[in-house]
Amino acid sequence: MDNLLGEIIRAEATPVIREEIGDAISSLVQQVVGIAPKALAALELALASSDARVSSRAAEILLKYTMPTADKDRNEDGGNVEINFNLPRAEEDAQEGEAVELQACDVCDVEKPLKDFVDGSTRCTDCHEKLRAQVEERFDLG
């Protein structure tokens, strides 16, 4: 009897719950669509910023949320991923006499200019390369 009662309640409640969830999702989608133009306008301003960090971060966000989807649709066979290291950084374009922001490496504890770190990393490129070489040697990846 309990099982039959549970099945009846489930059968009666399912359409109501499904409709409520559908309405909630539709409302959320409309909100996202409504704020999209403002978000894109802010991203466009950030891309045009004279601050290299701001424009670089805006470009990173744009690529993060647009390119993976495009690549996934085009390349379903799981093709190769290309990673480029030692690309020029915005900090390298700094004018003579400008203040250089320093950061301490979490491995060697030496303060170095931010250009000597991978964006967002707390490890300098020198220490990173040393650790990478050790891993390659230990696991015979070289």
Side-chain angles (χ1 to χ4, degrees), residues 112-128:
K112 298 181 179 184
L114 289 178
K115 70 178 183 72
D116 292 343
F117 292 82
V118 175
D119 282 341
S121 175
T122 56
R123 182 172 299 145
C124 72
T125 52
D126 293 338
C127 290
H128 172 76

Side-chain angles (χ1 to χ4, degrees), residues 73-94:
D73 292 342
R74 265 188 311 188
N75 188 5
E76 293 180 8
D77 65 346
N80 294 333
V81 174
E82 184 176 327
I83 300 173
N84 297 303
F85 292 97
N86 297 323
L87 294 174
R89 298 176 189 220
E91 291 90 2
E92 292 176 357
D93 296 334

Side-chain angles (χ1 to χ4, degrees), residues 55-117:
S55 61
S56 176
R57 180 69 178 134
E60 180 182 321
I61 290 170
L62 180 64
L63 293 174
K64 177 180 179 181
Y65 291 105
T66 58
M67 294 308 291
T69 303
D71 286 345
K72 183 178 179 184
D73 292 342
R74 265 188 311 188
N75 188 5
E76 293 180 8
D77 65 346
N80 294 333
V81 174
E82 184 176 327
I83 300 173
N84 297 303
F85 292 97
N86 297 323
L87 294 174
R89 298 176 189 220
E91 291 90 2
E92 292 176 357
D93 296 334
Q95 300 295 323
E96 287 275 335
E98 283 188 22
V100 176
E101 190 174 342
L102 299 176
Q103 176 177 322
C105 173
D106 66 353
V107 175
C108 66
D109 206 30
V110 174
E111 284 195 348
K112 298 181 179 184
L114 289 178
K115 70 178 183 72
D116 292 343
F117 292 82

